[in-house]
Amino acid sequence: ETDDPNWQTKRATVRERNALLFNNDLMADIKFLVGTDDHIQLVPAHKLILATGSPVFYAMFYGGLAENKSEIRIPDVEPPVFLTLLEYLYCDEIHFEADNALATLYVAKKYMVPHLESACVNYLETKLSAENACTLLSQAHLFEESDLMQRCWNLIDAQTELVIKSQGFLNVDLAILESILSRDSLICKEINLFQATVKWADAACKKIDITPTPQNRRDVLGQALTMIRFPIMTVKEFANRVAHLEILTSDETTDIFRILTTDDKPNIFNFSTKQRTGRTGRKKIICNRSTGHLHPERLTSAILFEDSVEIAVNKKISIIGFGIDKPFVKVLSGNDTVKIYLKQNGYVLAENETTIFYDISTNTWQFIFEDPVQIHPGNYYTASISSWGMYDKIYWPEVDNVVFVGDVTFEFRDSVIKNSFYQISFFHKIIFYDDTDEN
């Protein structure tokens, strides 16, 4: 486009004219050799534009120690990431994907471009999940991003059981592992935390090419092993899933058995007996979709109920479970088995299987997950239910698709896997915590 000698006249704003110069040899007065030796890309640029957007580039080109070089080597940044930085400086545009957001955060910090840095952090927060929480926590710690770090900790607390099953957990360094294991606020069975820690030790042994023997596992864990709260396990869990691994000394094993089975406590003991508090004591909140109107469905004989709904929220919450209002129904059988799942992109975040009875003690069946599941704005989560029953006639409550509970907005839409035979929803209530209450 710059073959036209009057190209400036066709662009009304400074931004449009600068954008044309992005990654363009026209009037370029500096070139960067970007990338590692096996993949170097030559990137033309313009000192004035770079200096107006970055104090580092200003010092590099116009500061007291500026060097008069025609080419500058950038070996620690990949070419696509460096071009993302330049595109922002030239065009005020930000284009990055999940796989290079962390690298873009690094380059934004390196060249002191705080607005691009903030955009990276905001993007990473929206992509935060149990699978990547440990990876992002490590990077947030490295880059001293306190807000992102706190969001990672909140998710690790809320979804501990899922986090410790992730590959990212196996890759954290020892300091991060100790920080995780030391937290009182984890929502997790201690035996599961121990087993995940053993897997971390096995991965650490593999990295330094040693056999994961009991002693080697103990050596790589160091003080992290003392942060496992063996005394809050059950006797059966400790006997069947810990003691035989011989990662503890015989004296430690004996002392733990004494604590678990008698009132005779050892005088010196290395392991905490304090329960992890998680989020106990927080106020449960209910989102009620029921409108109060009844929708009749004629159902006869044995029938399989199946329903799915997609849920989105405007702020971070933790779902504890779901409630289903009891129908006005003539029941031919006394109870049903109901299965409820909460998923994201097909991955099961939580599930509950409960046998329900048609009594008159309550108006709502509640299905509570073993651990709360944190969900985030900007994403849809799928709740699914299936149940066998014997019915003659049913009247279910109609539901709203947008519900406001305080400053939390819930949006509901039919899932692509919804059974289209029914024009009703079986998800009437969401039981949750408002996670922003803790910040």
Side-chain angles (χ1 to χ4, degrees), residues 45-89:
H46 307 78
K47 293 180 180 180
L48 178 63
I49 294 176
L50 300 186
T52 58
S54 161
V56 175
F57 282 129
Y58 178 83
M60 187 183 297
F61 301 136
Y62 302 108
L65 300 178
E67 298 182 20
N68 188 22
K69 293 182 178 180
S70 60
E71 294 183 349
I72 296 176
R73 184 83 170 86
I74 310 290
D76 58 334
V77 180
E78 292 297 318
V81 175
F82 191 74
L83 287 171
T84 297
L85 170 69
L86 264 57
E87 184 178 22
Y88 175 75
L89 296 177

Side-chain angles (χ1 to χ4, degrees), residues 355-366:
T355 299
I356 59 175
F357 296 88
Y358 294 91
D359 55 36
I360 59 173
S361 59
T362 61
N363 294 321
T364 303
W365 293 304
Q366 288 195 358

Side-chain angles (χ1 to χ4, degrees), residues 101-206:
L102 277 171
T104 304
L105 176 60
Y106 166 76
V107 78
K109 279 187 165 289
K110 176 179 179 179
Y111 292 101
M112 296 179 64
V113 186
H115 297 295
L116 179 59
E117 178 185 335
S118 296
C120 291
V121 171
N122 292 337
Y123 177 83
L124 290 169
E125 288 176 353
T126 66
K127 300 300 179 182
L128 183 62
S129 68
E131 183 62 33
N132 64 20
C134 289
T135 301
L136 292 184
L137 175 66
S138 298
Q139 295 297 319
H141 185 267
L142 176 65
F143 295 144
E144 297 181 342
E145 288 291 342
S146 58
D147 288 344
L148 179 58
M149 201 181 312
Q150 185 57 51
R151 289 182 181 271
C152 290
W153 281 126
N154 290 344
L155 188 139
I156 290 170
D157 287 342
Q159 299 187 30
T160 311
E161 295 276 3
L162 293 174
V163 168
I164 62 177
K165 295 176 184 176
S166 69
Q167 183 62 40
F169 177 79
L170 299 180
N171 293 332
V172 299
D173 61 27
L174 182 59
I176 295 293
L177 177 68
E178 290 177 347
S179 296
I180 294 173
L181 297 180
S182 66
R183 293 180 72 80
D184 289 337
S185 47
L186 300 179
I187 302 176
C188 182
K189 290 183 177 179
E190 202 68 21
I191 185 62
N192 294 342
L193 198 59
F194 168 72
Q195 291 179 316
T197 302
V198 171
K199 290 181 180 179
W200 182 94
D202 291 347
C205 288
K206 185 176 181 180

